[in-house]
Amino acid sequence: MAKVSELGYLGIGVSDLAGWKRLATTVFGMQVVSGDTPGTAYLRIDQNHHRVELNSRDSDDLDFAGWEVEDAGELSAIARQLELAGVKVRAGSRDDAAQRRVVDLIKCVDPSGIATEIFYGHPVDPRPYQPSRAGSGFKTAGQGLGHLLVHSPDIDASVGFYRDILGFRVSDFTTVSTPNGPLRLAFLHCNSRHHSIAFIGAPGPKRLNHIMFESNALMDVGIGRDACLAHDIPIAIDLGCHMNDQMVSFYMGCPSGFALEYGWGARVIDDATWRVEHYDSVDSIWGHPQLKTLATGDAPA
Ligand code: FE
């Protein structure tokens, strides 16, 4: 079975491009790379040309997610797997590939409505990554951009799509009792990162609940938190350590109304020994005092 290897890139529609650039540089120390048009900008966090494409439009939500496969053979095999499962697949155009700066890509839509791209040939820029503030950089090697938590109207369909068609493995399921009945979450991995995508089975104001970027050092996360306080960027969920991936992190609001998680130190998965885990709460090991808001499906930002 062909498998996705990592979360390569994300596209986000933003109504406040200047606000996004300010947050990305002040809090995360990311490099802003000029886009192909005035309404576009790229965020760079490693050797890739970019990991996030910001496009000026009022959607203020996830526009597309790009998942990497090894080579042309894997791309064809993934396309076949999707078609066999009844998913409509389109070939990316030359223009699409040029804009994403990849060799080739295919396009489909996941069960929660995310425009999903599968590509090979990740966009390397050999010039050094130039962070906007000194730091230890981001943990992306072999693990991809970070992770997404997405609101899914049909969590079983979402899990089936990523696990049975794209080759992800389940890290854990979480079931929480709430006054409105059981709330389910699912966390899936495609490499040693504990999860690259997760689903919350409750509607949200946005498709996207949050995006997580992982730092190589706890110090950078603390400096980023100080930057939020200094620049009046709301801290949606303050520092804590998650139960499942054991990441130390905090969440901030972003100009598009979802949240960004800045984390460090997550445990990694070895598929040779991993067994699916189950949790009956989203409580953190310590901290994350506002996490209950996330569990109810409300926007944490
Ligand atoms: Fe997260």
Side-chain angles (χ1 to χ4, degrees):
M1 180 189 195
K3 293 179 167 131
V4 156
S5 59
E6 67 174 63
L7 177 56
Y9 56 78
L10 295 177
I12 306 171
V14 304
S15 58
D16 180 6
L17 187 58
W20 263 94
K21 289 184 191 172
R22 211 159 40 238
L23 183 148
T25 51
T26 11
V27 178
F28 289 96
M30 295 174 176
Q31 179 182 354
V32 174
V33 177
S34 296
D36 301 333
T37 62
T40 305
Y42 293 110
L43 301 179
R44 187 177 189 212
I45 64 172
D46 59 11
Q47 203 66 51
N48 277 22
H49 172 272
H50 67 275
R51 290 288 191 172
V52 178
E53 182 179 326
L54 302 172
N55 285 299
S56 292
R57 62 173 132 253
D58 290 334
S59 56
D60 279 318
D61 205 345
L62 185 63
D63 273 349
F64 55 85
W67 299 96
E68 183 170 0
V69 293
E70 254 172 45
D71 54 26
E74 287 279 297
L75 190 64
S76 306
I78 284 265
R80 271 197 307 277
Q81 287 166 201
L82 285 160
E83 281 163 353
L84 278 173
V87 179
K88 193 162 174 262
V89 179
R90 284 190 297 128
S93 68
R94 288 295 92 214
D95 282 353
D96 291 333
Q99 182 168 11
R100 308 287 191 257
R101 291 165 169 79
V102 301
V103 178
D104 199 6
L105 72 160
I106 57 170
K107 297 180 167 192
C108 60
V109 179
D110 94 342
S112 63
I114 299 173
T116 298
E117 302 179 354
I118 322 264
F119 72 94
Y120 83 94
H122 63 271
V124 175
D125 183 343
R127 289 168 296 187
Y129 162 57
Q130 293 184 291
S132 51
R133 66 170 165 78
S136 67
F138 292 87
K139 189 170 183 180
T140 56
Q143 295 199 341
L145 181 157
H147 72 228
L148 299 175
L149 175 61
V150 178
H151 293 276
S152 171
D154 184 345
I155 203 162
D156 293 321
S158 292
V159 170
F161 179 86
Y162 287 88
R163 180 190 58 200
D164 303 335
I165 308 176
L166 299 186
F168 283 63
R169 280 81 67 201
V170 173
S171 307
D172 61 76
F173 291 112
T174 300
T175 319
V176 191
S177 295
T178 77
N180 304 323
L183 172 72
R184 297 167 63 211
L185 294 95
F187 297 77
L188 290 95
H189 63 274
C190 56
N191 52 49
S192 64
R193 183 180 296 288
H194 177 276
H195 55 282
S196 290
I197 193 160
F199 301 98
I200 180 165
K206 310 267 173 189
R207 180 170 290 139
L208 192 52
N209 181 288
H210 71 268
I211 307 170
M212 188 286 302
F213 298 96
E214 185 171 1
S215 173
N216 285 321
L218 179 59
M219 182 152 53
D220 294 325
V221 177
I223 292 171
R225 183 179 174 280
D226 278 357
C228 286
L229 297 175
H231 295 273
D232 290 327
I233 294 163
I235 290 177
I237 299 175
D238 212 346
L239 280 172
C241 180
H242 283 300
M243 227 170 12
N244 59 356
D245 65 0
Q246 296 173 11
M247 175 175 282
V248 175
S249 68
F250 76 97
Y251 297 65
M252 74 206 75
C254 80
S256 292
F258 49 85
L260 300 176
E261 181 181 11
Y262 197 3
W264 166 83
R267 67 173 167 160
V268 295
I269 281 186
D270 176 359
D271 269 317
T273 54
W274 189 263
R275 289 184 300 148
V276 174
E277 297 185 338
H278 180 249
Y279 296 87
D280 60 6
S281 121
V282 291
D283 291 343
S284 286
I285 297 170
W286 59 265
H288 285 149
Q290 303 90 343
L291 192 58
K292 293 280 184 204
T293 326
L294 185 78
T296 62
D298 295 336

